Every structure is written in C-alpha cells, then in structure tokens.
Amino acid sequence: MKEILDAIQSQDSTAADFAALSLPESYRAITVHKDEAEMFSGLESRDKDPRKSLHLDEVPVPELGPGEALVAVMASSVNYNSVWTSIFEPVSTFSFLERYGRLSELTKRHDLPYHVIGSDLAGVVLRTGPGVNAWNPGDEVVAHCLSVELESSDGHNDTMLDPEQRIWGFETNFGGLAEIALVKSNQLMPKPQHLSWEEAAAPGLVNSTAYRQLVSRNGAGMKQGDNVLIWGASGGLGSYATQFALAGGANPICVVSSPEKADICRAMGAEAVIDRNAEGYKFWKDERTQDPKEWKRFGKRIREYTGGEDIDIVFEHPGRETFGASVYVTRKGGTITTCASTSGYMHEYDNRYLWMSLKRIIGSHFANYREAWEANRLIAKGKIHPTLSKVYSLADTGQAAHDVHRNVHQGKVGVLALAPREGLGVRNQEMREQHIDAINRFRNV
C-alpha cells in the first residue's frame, strides 16, 4: 500500500508506473458483519450505535471483472445509507448482497459474511478490467454510486429504471469506505482539480441525489422564480438543494433545527430561513395524530418570506415527521419530491389537499448516469461547492456515522482512507483560491 501511496503523491508517476504496481493481497476496510445483524434487536433506532457495529477489518482484494475498475481510495464520506447499514435498518444489507450474488457467477463475489460499505470516493485508478477504454491506471477520479447491468431495455432511457439498479456500497459489496474499492467503470467521473481528496469525495451521492430530485426533468424540474421549501437545508442533502436553488434563480425557504444551521444557510446566500425548533413546530399531537393547525401556522410563516405566495416545490427527505405539512403547504398544482425517510417510512397526509389541489408527489432515488455526470460537472466548474464540515480517519468511521445518525453534524462529514492528511490532491490552485471561502464555508462555522 505504501508503494501505491508513493506513486499517487509523486508528480512524475505515469499510467505505466501505476499499471506496473503490484496490488496488495488485502486492504483495510470498514465493514459490518453478517453474524451481528441482530445485535440491535429490540432497540429503538435512536439507541442503535454505529460505533458498535462498524469494524475496521483487513479484507482480501476482490477479483476484477469485465467493465470494472479497482480504485485506490484517498478519501470517502459518510452518507445516511451508511448509517442505515450500520444499524441494520430497514433491513440488513446482507439480503441485498445475497440477492446480487444469485445474479451471475461473477456477482457471487459480493455475497460474503462481511460487507465493505460506503457510496462515495475520490482516488486513483489502479486496474481496469476487459472492455474498459475510457479510464486508465493513474487517472484521478470520483465515483457516483449507481450500479446497473443494463441488459434490460427498461434502463436505457433512464438508468435508474434498470431492473438490476443498485446503490454501490449499500446494495453491493466493496464500497468506498476503504483503502481500495471495486466499481463499474461507468461509475467513474473526473475528480474536480481545485478540490482536495476529501472535498472531492464529499458531494457524490448527495449532490447527484439533490440534482435529480430538484433540477432534473425526472424530479421537480425547478425553474427560475420557484419557491422551494428545503427541509434540513444545512444537512447532507439539503445543503446541495439550497445551492441548486440559489444557482438556478429559485427562492429557497430553508428549514433547519438550530441557530448554527440557520447561519450556514445564510452564509450560502439564503435569506428565508426557518428554525423549526426555535419556532416550536409540532406537526404531531401524538404518535398517531397530526395537527393541521401547525401546518397552517407553518404555511403562514412561509408566506411571510414569499410575499404571500405558496410553495412551488417541496424538497422532502425527513418523511413521516414532516410529510403531512409538506403536502399541505404546497401550492395548487405544486410538487412534492421525496427521497429517503429519515424520520420514518410510513408517510401520512390529508389526501384532500393533494387530490383537490392537483398536487404531485414524485419519488426520487439517487440519479441516472447523465444526472450524476452533470452534478459533478457543476462541482468541477465551481458553480456548486462541497459542504464538508469535518473529516475523520478511517478508524473513526463509527464515530462519523454516529454523528450523522444523531444529526449533530453539518453538511457532509469526510473520511480519509489512504490520504495521510487533509488538503492533498489539489491540482488547480488558482481556481481553488477563487472559491476558497465557499469551499470552507461549512468548516468555518
């Protein structure tokens, strides 16, 4: 592994030098163990501790197949799917690996008693399998997390509709929270040159997800002037949705849970910020009963920021806790786009406010190949910026996941894999200096 790191850090290394490197037999990776899948049985979600279930193991380097690449991971990040994996909710991810393993002789590699997790990376290509022409050893890359087979026609207009669509590092093995990762070569994209390894690794999953959900025609199709309600606007997903809204000429109404998170939204350029805790919104009277009076109070507050207009688009991801309010405050003919359900999957809302007002609910999940590429292109051009707030070592990934689970983080939290320290990997210093305040915005809070 030292030879690999030395080659990456040398300015003189060529593609031939990387191709000539010997691959190690094993590497360090963050895993969950199949025999521990019931370790949190009987506990409430909030009481399940990722620090107990995530392990730093030495695992064998997987076999490289056609159309695949092995990547030396310099940095990765923690997404909410890593939290779900670590607490074995809503199901153990080993069920995903077992199903994938039944697909072919090659995919059997994924069905193991351990799961190497993680759906983001920034690093360097080490090896490519047969049929890979666009990438070579030594290329500096980031990876999006869409894994598809594309043998069915269903996925050819929108790769997210492929019947064998999976999220790499969540529904497949050999993910990015490790020193080496196995990806399909069509997951690879150029690393933005003005960013460090950890900064480049942070946007991937959430940036692409927010792009499809809010900007793409497959999502809300946001346009100039739209009033966009963004839940968790300083968090992993919401911080990118806020940036897309501002960059696209929309009007974000940012909902946060603390003064510190409100300050971050204002630093991004948002003017309309609602601290839901400070204003005491309680959309549920008890576990079974919502409070429409609170929906109305919330809607009135929103209209104070919009000049009396209702919301055109709701960027939904908390789920159960907020969904009734989201449907209510959306204007007639408006759109609620939903991905994830971090507060619960069973959504309840008053359908009269949906059907009689011709509103739409759109389910949105990650992004197709083109959407992921476009989202990364905006990062590379300095139009959208990483929201990295804190960086952990690979050994401390459990703590990083714990912080995300408890929502005590801001933006995204990064993880160093092979990178020995923060700040490495910048190739365009001049461009970086143009955007340095925005790059560091979440770190400076």
Side-chain angles (χ1 to χ4, degrees):
M1 210 60 84
K2 182 180 183 303
E3 291 180 2
I4 291 172
L5 183 58
D6 287 345
I8 292 171
Q9 293 186 295
S10 170
Q11 296 183 355
D12 301 322
S13 297
T14 64
D17 293 330
F18 279 98
L21 288 171
S22 297
L23 292 180
E25 293 184 358
S26 63
Y27 63 101
R28 296 190 310 153
I30 297 299
T31 69
V32 290
H33 296 174
K34 191 172 187 176
D35 62 4
E36 294 180 345
E38 301 298 325
M39 67 185 298
F40 297 129
S41 292
L43 294 179
E44 295 290 334
S45 293
R46 63 180 176 270
D47 297 324
K48 299 177 181 180
D49 190 343
R51 294 171 297 188
K52 297 179 180 179
S53 57
L54 293 179
H55 304 276
L56 180 59
D57 290 336
E58 192 83 15
V59 300
V61 174
E63 174 189 358
L64 181 63
E68 295 179 340
L70 285 171
V71 180
V73 182
M74 296 299 282
S76 184
S77 72
V78 173
N79 294 291
Y80 217 92
N81 69 5
S82 297
V83 175
W84 289 328
T85 303
S86 71
I87 62 175
F88 306 103
E89 287 190 9
V91 295
S92 163
T93 54
F94 290 99
S95 62
F96 303 146
L97 303 186
E98 290 164 7
R99 180 184 168 216
Y100 193 30
R102 292 193 292 268
L103 185 64
S104 72
E105 284 297 314
L106 191 62
T107 62
K108 284 182 180 178
R109 296 167 298 165
H110 292 260
D111 185 6
L112 294 168
Y114 60 87
H115 185 185
V116 179
I117 71 169
S119 299
D120 281 325
L121 71 73
V124 178
V125 176
L126 294 176
R127 294 283 191 278
T128 58
V132 177
N133 302 304
W135 303 99
N136 297 295
D139 288 344
E140 296 187 350
V141 295
V142 293
H144 67 73
C145 62
L146 176 58
S147 173
V148 294
E149 306 304 315
L150 290 182
E151 292 187 292
S152 165
S153 63
D154 292 351
H156 282 253
N157 278 343
D158 180 0
T159 43
M160 280 302 296
L161 298 181
D162 188 275
E164 297 296 337
Q165 176 269 321
R166 292 175 174 84
I167 298 298
W168 160 72
F170 178 59
E171 295 166 298
T172 78
N173 219 324
F174 315 121
L177 284 165
E179 293 175 331
I180 291 177
L182 177 73
V183 299
K184 293 181 183 295
S185 65
N186 46 28
Q187 292 177 239
L188 298 176
M189 304 180 293
K191 172 189 170 290
Q193 295 191 355
H194 66 296
L195 300 179
S196 67
W197 295 114
E198 64 277 6
E199 292 160 354
L205 185 151
V206 287
N207 185 46
S208 300
T209 299
Y211 182 91
R212 179 183 177 106
Q213 186 176 352
L214 186 57
V215 179
S216 167
R217 68 186 70 178
N218 291 312
M222 184 193 74
K223 65 183 185 301
Q224 289 177 323
D226 279 345
N227 293 311
V228 182
L229 181 67
I230 301 171
W231 293 101
S234 73
L237 271 173
S239 58
Y240 290 96
T242 300
Q243 290 187 73
F244 283 129
L246 291 165
N251 175 34
I253 293 85
C254 299
V255 185
V256 295
S257 59
S258 72
E260 294 77 16
K261 293 181 178 183
D263 288 342
I264 287 179
C265 292
R266 294 188 183 100
M268 285 190 283
E271 297 179 359
V273 184
I274 298 173
D275 182 340
R276 59 184 175 87
N277 285 343
E279 299 188 22
Y281 292 105
K282 294 183 178 179
F283 299 128
W284 290 79
K285 296 178 180 178
D286 54 50
E287 289 189 3
R288 296 184 178 181
T289 311
Q290 296 193 62
D291 188 350
K293 289 183 179 179
E294 285 291 89
W295 302 346
K296 293 176 183 179
R297 183 166 76 94
F298 186 53
K300 181 180 179 181
R301 185 76 170 100
I302 289 168
R303 287 190 291 274
E304 292 175 7
Y305 283 117
T306 61
E309 296 179 340
D310 287 325
I311 291 295
D312 296 284
I313 298 167
V314 180
F315 186 87
E316 246 290 345
H317 54 96
R320 178 175 174 80
E321 181 183 346
T322 59
F323 206 81
S326 292
V327 170
Y328 179 82
V329 301
T330 304
R331 73 166 177 83
K332 189 171 186 176
T335 301
I336 304 100
T337 56
T338 177
C339 80
S341 294
T342 53
S343 68
Y345 300 97
M346 300 302 291
H347 298 186
E348 294 182 26
Y349 60 91
D350 188 329
N351 198 44
R352 292 172 296 176
Y353 297 114
L354 186 82
W355 117 66
M356 296 180 72
S357 294
L358 294 92
K359 302 175 186 181
R360 298 184 303 155
I361 296 173
I362 297 176
S364 187
H365 182 41
F366 187 59
N368 65 31
Y369 281 169
R370 186 64 195 176
E371 290 159 346
W373 188 278
E374 290 289 349
N376 184 65
R377 180 170 172 264
L378 291 170
I379 297 282
K381 286 180 171 291
K383 304 293 185 183
I384 303 295
H385 304 287
T387 62
L388 187 69
S389 61
K390 191 173 182 180
V391 180
Y392 296 77
S393 69
L394 195 62
D396 289 329
T397 301
Q399 183 64 49
H402 176 269
D403 289 355
V404 174
H405 184 30
R406 294 302 180 94
N407 195 31
V408 298
H409 68 303
Q410 313 278 16
K412 285 296 293 290
V413 296
V415 174
L416 295 182
L418 284 173
R421 63 182 184 278
E422 296 179 47
L424 302 176
V426 177
R427 308 302 180 213
N428 187 336
Q429 193 66 43
E430 182 179 355
M431 181 179 177
R432 180 180 182 81
E433 303 224 347
Q434 294 174 10
H435 301 290
I436 192 64
D437 290 342
I439 292 169
N440 287 329
R441 184 181 290 138
F442 279 65
R443 283 186 170 123
N444 293 336
V445 174

